Amino acid sequence: MRTIELKTATRTSRVHVGEGLGDLSRWLPAGRCVVVTDRDVLALHREDLPACPTLAIAAGEAAKSLATVEELYEALLDLEADRGTFLLGVGGGVVSDIAGFVASTFLRGLSFGFVPTTLLAQVDASVGGKNGVNFQGYKNLIGTINPPQFVLCDLRFLRTLPEAEVANGMAEIVKHALIADAGMFAYLEENAGRALALEPAVIERLVGDSVAIKSAVVAGDEREAGERRKLNFGHTLGHALEKTLGLPHGEAVSVGMVMAGAISVRRGMLSRKGFDRMARLLERLRLPCAAAAPLERVADALRRDKKRAARKLHLVLLAEVGRAVVEEVGLEELEELVAGHPEILRPAAAGGSP
Amino acid sequence: MRTIELKTATRTSRVHVGEGLGDLSRWLPAGRCVVVTDRDVLALHREDLPACPTLAIAAGEAAKSLATVEELYEALLDLEADRGTFLLGVGGGVVSDIAGFVASTFLRGLSFGFVPTTLLAQVDASVGGKNGVNFQGYKNLIGTINPPQFVLCDLRFLRTLPEAEVANGMAEIVKHALIADAGMFAYLEENAGRALALEPAVIERLVGDSVAIKSAVVAGDEREAGERRKLNFGHTLGHALEKTLGLPHGEAVSVGMVMAGAISVRRGMLSRKGFDRMARLLERLRLPCAAAAPLERVADALRRDKKRAARKLHLVLLAEVGRAVVEEVGLEELEELVAGHPEILRPAAAGGSP
């Protein structure tokens, strides 16, 4: 077991990697606990959950809405939850985003913790304090930044994950290595097969390294004024591909990273050798390095993303494997860069999305 | 002009007492600003508001709902608000509670400030960082604690206030003196008439002292684990009277303070002389010292309040004029104490509320 501390302005958050759900009671505060989970997790892991009142939301991104939040407020009222009640979110990123937001706003803030059940949630969603819901088609438009008291990463949950879910997490693991840790990247190159097979020792190291990298970045910049933007490596274009093509998050981020890598090479930052190492590792982890995309619709999605994010777009590029740099680019320039790499984004007709 | 600083874990909040709305631009950050106000304030003060897009909600407590919050999210989307947008709440406590919550949750947090237009909002609601809305009949069930960047108290707004609104603020001013500042209490005794007439020099001193007292209490205990509870002096019973009798907040708090004072005398803490000084000052400020109340319904309201607040009820009592003490009491004991002071709460038949 490895514990990573994340100190922010308001709290010290602790992530326990490799701890079993059976030892949850070591971390739960005395007093009342309510579990928030989703119906899929409940069906798979009902016996493993602690013996507390359990609120199960629908599984999937569509549940990430204010309507679900209101349902949970009502359920907490029915349970006569008070300020001493502890909320435990058990599930993937949707569950932790909603449970974190409900905990941050019910009675102006309950204490809460997470047990992430997907690789993506363990290495990304449950760390860093961002929570919230979608609104009017905008992802995470409503939310707060408020880290949980603890996160317990039980690696045994990962055994029941479908392959696409493993890929989602793996893309973020590669991202963490690429932006901040050349040693971790080399470890991934040496152990790609064992990582894909979810070998416990390898996965514990990779999840722990990922959490440590994200925690260090967040600790220095909780509200994303600078350093935290590096965590968006591959995500600007990735989000546009996710929206336009309906690509799974991991695949979209993988193509987004390759694109950002290619732009880094073109700007004379990343070496060709570094780019090739990245592409080869992604392939070995069964992540895509290219996609067929209707470029006009991708450009539309980028514009929409920009409108809500800020007046200027910050693109994360690589100076080398293990070191990211944030650069400001205009939207037009980004569109040109995207269109100028047909080996990565192959032009496709609009309407060709799955 | 007097500026009071409130330092919390996340921010330094500044309250400028006696500053004019015309000098708002000194405090607004560069960049885009959106005003949130209500229709009554807009009708009275339209010309005084800064030249920004202005969103006006309905006036009154009924507007303090998640429905209003969603309307504001949508309006901000229509205005293409981004993370650099500053939200300025101009109005009474309902406006600052809603504007503060919207600012704390839209895009995971915009910067914001308040221009309180009522005496109550200047001395209480706009200071301390609590925001939020009512839910399912529970006051302030949903919200966060997040102080504004600045509060600008322009005392000229107070001239257009109805008498009941002045009383609401005056009750909180007396409360602040009673719990923390014997000198301020003596000043109030000497200047009760001039305070009621809203003489600028007297009001500026009283608003400034109130803000300073509340800020000092909040700085030491933002999340109400101990010291901050003292601000609830007169409010436990006051809220019950507000709900049961529909009494205005100021009158309800006034009777609540007299009751808490009487309990303090009975417990051998507050002197009879101190109690009489309090009652006499309230009378001179035209605040009530007694009410006719259906005791059974008041007891019901106390129980309901307790259920959501915490397992134990903390009652704020006076050790002397200018010094409050928090004591734990059981609900039954509190009910006995309430019933045992017929000179303050005269038994009345249920259904006799206005």
Side-chain angles (χ1 to χ4, degrees):
Chain A
M1 214 256 293
R2 175 174 168 193
T3 295
I4 295 124
E5 281 199 357
L6 169 52
K7 282 197 174 76
T8 65
T10 51
R11 180 169 298 160
T12 297
S13 187
R14 286 183 182 81
V15 185
H16 309 293
V17 177
E19 177 73 320
L21 186 57
D23 292 319
L24 181 66
S25 56
R26 286 176 62 193
W27 311 108
L28 277 181
R32 199 146 175 239
C33 174
V34 172
V35 168
V36 175
T37 186
D38 72 30
R39 293 189 197 124
D40 285 1
V41 172
L42 194 64
L44 279 168
H45 305 290
R46 189 186 288 269
E47 285 95 61
D48 305 322
L49 295 182
C52 318
T54 297
L55 308 173
I57 63 175
E61 185 78 14
K64 224 172 111 170
S65 68
L66 284 177
T68 305
V69 167
E70 288 197 43
E71 275 171 38
L72 290 171
Y73 289 154
E74 284 173 23
L76 288 172
L77 273 177
D78 288 344
L79 290 169
E80 301 190 3
D82 63 26
R83 282 192 202 161
T85 302
F86 187 91
L87 228 60
L88 184 73
V90 183
V94 171
V95 166
S96 54
D97 279 1
I98 291 184
F101 184 66
V102 167
S104 300
T105 53
F106 190 80
L107 290 172
R108 297 204 183 96
L110 306 179
S111 296
F112 64 105
F114 295 144
V115 177
T117 58
T118 67
L119 186 57
L120 180 62
Q122 292 192 353
V123 300
D124 190 14
S126 65
V127 181
K130 287 189 179 178
N131 61 48
V133 297
N134 306 327
F135 187 77
Q136 304 268 354
Y138 290 88
K139 252 180 104 79
N140 303 316
L141 190 90
I142 309 302
T144 73
I145 298 183
N146 185 26
Q149 286 201 311
F150 69 79
V151 181
L152 190 155
C153 294
D154 184 339
L155 305 170
R156 277 164 296 184
F157 280 115
L158 308 183
R159 288 187 212 145
T160 53
L161 286 186
E163 208 169 301
E165 265 302 334
V166 175
N168 283 339
M170 222 46 98
E172 299 293 341
I173 288 173
V174 174
K175 179 196 78 177
H176 287 130
L178 279 169
I179 65 169
D181 192 339
M184 180 186 170
F185 190 87
Y187 180 83
L188 267 164
E189 290 180 311
E190 282 157 33
N191 296 281
R194 296 171 67 199
L196 263 189
L198 298 173
E199 273 192 31
V202 175
I203 282 295
E204 180 161 346
R205 156 115 193 232
L206 292 174
V207 172
D209 283 359
S210 276
V211 170
I213 289 166
K214 181 160 184 185
S215 297
V217 170
V218 169
D221 175 28
E222 198 179 10
R223 297 206 65 86
E224 198 166 327
E227 192 70 7
R228 189 165 182 161
R229 293 198 177 108
K230 291 184 180 170
L231 297 171
N232 291 330
F233 179 62
H235 281 62
T236 302
L237 188 67
H239 282 154
L241 292 175
E242 226 176 318
K243 262 189 230 173
T244 316
L245 304 182
L247 228 53
H249 183 73
E251 293 183 21
V253 167
S254 181
V255 178
M257 292 193 291
V258 174
M259 178 62 74
I263 294 170
S264 309
V265 172
R266 181 188 276 213
R267 293 205 167 179
M269 300 164 65
L270 182 66
S271 68
R272 186 75 221 178
K273 183 164 165 277
F275 177 84
D276 289 342
R277 282 179 70 197
M278 170 177 73
R280 212 172 314 124
L281 178 63
L282 290 170
E283 273 166 13
R284 288 183 61 206
L285 291 169
R286 295 188 205 144
L287 286 162
C289 292
L295 293 185
E296 207 28 67
R297 281 178 52 208
V298 172
D300 277 350
L302 282 171
R303 267 178 228 123
R304 197 174 145 99
D305 207 45
K306 177 170 182 256
K307 196 164 73 177
R308 57 150 288 202
R311 306 230 167 259
K312 272 172 195 151
L313 197 134
H314 295 89
L315 196 62
V316 187
L317 299 176
L318 290 184
E320 60 187 312
V321 166
R323 189 158 65 86
V325 180
V326 182
E327 303 236 322
E328 286 191 0
V329 291
L331 183 61
E332 296 69 27
E333 190 185 351
L334 182 63
E335 284 177 29
E336 277 170 35
L337 289 165
V338 166
H341 286 278
E343 77 285 8
I344 300 172
L345 278 199
R346 296 182 298 274
S353 70
Chain B
M1 213 255 294
R2 174 172 169 198
T3 296
I4 295 124
E5 281 199 357
L6 168 52
K7 281 197 175 73
T8 64
T10 50
R11 182 169 297 162
T12 297
S13 187
R14 286 181 182 83
V15 186
H16 309 292
V17 177
E19 177 73 319
L21 185 57
D23 293 319
L24 181 65
S25 56
R26 286 177 61 194
W27 311 107
L28 277 181
R32 198 143 178 240
C33 173
V34 172
V35 168
V36 176
T37 186
D38 72 31
R39 291 187 200 126
D40 285 1
V41 172
L42 194 63
L44 280 167
H45 305 290
R46 190 187 287 268
E47 285 94 62
D48 306 322
L49 296 182
C52 318
T54 297
L55 308 173
I57 63 174
E61 184 79 15
K64 221 172 113 171
S65 68
L66 285 178
T68 305
V69 167
E70 288 197 44
E71 275 171 37
L72 290 172
Y73 289 154
E74 283 173 24
L76 288 172
L77 273 178
D78 288 344
L79 292 170
E80 302 191 1
D82 63 28
R83 283 192 201 160
T85 301
F86 187 91
L87 230 59
L88 184 73
V90 182
V94 170
V95 166
S96 54
D97 279 3
I98 291 184
F101 185 65
V102 167
S104 301
T105 51
F106 190 81
L107 290 174
R108 297 205 184 97
L110 304 180
S111 295
F112 65 105
F114 295 144
V115 178
T117 57
T118 68
L119 186 57
L120 181 61
Q122 292 193 352
V123 300
D124 191 14
S126 65
V127 182
K130 287 188 178 180
N131 62 48
V133 296
N134 307 326
F135 187 78
Q136 304 268 352
Y138 290 88
K139 252 180 104 78
N140 303 318
L141 190 90
I142 308 304
T144 72
I145 298 183
N146 184 25
Q149 283 201 312
F150 69 79
V151 182
L152 189 154
C153 294
D154 184 339
L155 305 170
R156 278 165 293 185
F157 280 115
L158 309 182
R159 289 187 211 145
T160 52
L161 286 185
E163 210 170 298
E165 264 302 333
V166 174
N168 282 340
M170 223 45 102
E172 300 292 342
I173 287 173
V174 174
K175 180 195 80 177
H176 287 130
L178 280 169
I179 64 169
D181 192 340
M184 178 185 172
F185 190 87
Y187 180 82
L188 267 166
E189 289 180 313
E190 283 156 32
N191 296 282
R194 298 172 65 200
L196 262 189
L198 298 174
E199 273 192 28
V202 175
I203 282 295
E204 180 160 347
R205 155 113 194 233
L206 292 175
V207 172
D209 283 0
S210 275
V211 170
I213 289 166
K214 182 159 183 184
S215 296
V217 169
V218 169
D221 176 26
E222 197 179 9
R223 297 207 64 86
E224 197 165 326
E227 192 71 7
R228 186 163 185 162
R229 292 197 177 108
K230 290 184 180 169
L231 297 170
N232 290 332
F233 178 62
H235 281 61
T236 302
L237 189 65
H239 281 153
L241 292 175
E242 225 177 318
K243 260 189 232 175
T244 316
L245 304 181
L247 229 50
H249 183 72
E251 295 184 19
V253 167
S254 181
V255 178
M257 290 194 293
V258 175
M259 178 61 76
I263 294 171
S264 309
V265 173
R266 182 189 275 212
R267 292 207 169 177
M269 299 164 64
L270 181 65
S271 68
R272 186 73 222 178
K273 182 162 164 279
F275 177 85
D276 289 341
R277 283 178 70 196
M278 170 175 75
R280 212 173 314 124
L281 177 64
L282 290 170
E283 274 166 13
R284 288 181 61 207
L285 291 170
R286 296 188 204 143
L287 287 162
C289 291
L295 294 184
E296 207 27 66
R297 280 178 52 209
V298 172
D300 277 352
L302 283 171
R303 265 178 230 122
R304 198 174 144 100
D305 208 45
K306 178 172 182 254
K307 196 162 77 178
R308 56 150 287 200
R311 307 229 167 260
K312 271 173 195 152
L313 198 134
H314 295 88
L315 196 62
V316 187
L317 300 176
L318 290 183
E320 62 186 312
V321 167
R323 190 157 65 86
V325 181
V326 183
E327 302 236 321
E328 285 192 358
V329 293
L331 183 61
E332 297 68 28
E333 191 185 351
L334 180 64
E335 285 177 28
E336 277 171 35
L337 289 165
V338 166
H341 286 277
E343 77 285 8
I344 300 171
L345 278 198
R346 299 183 296 275
S353 68

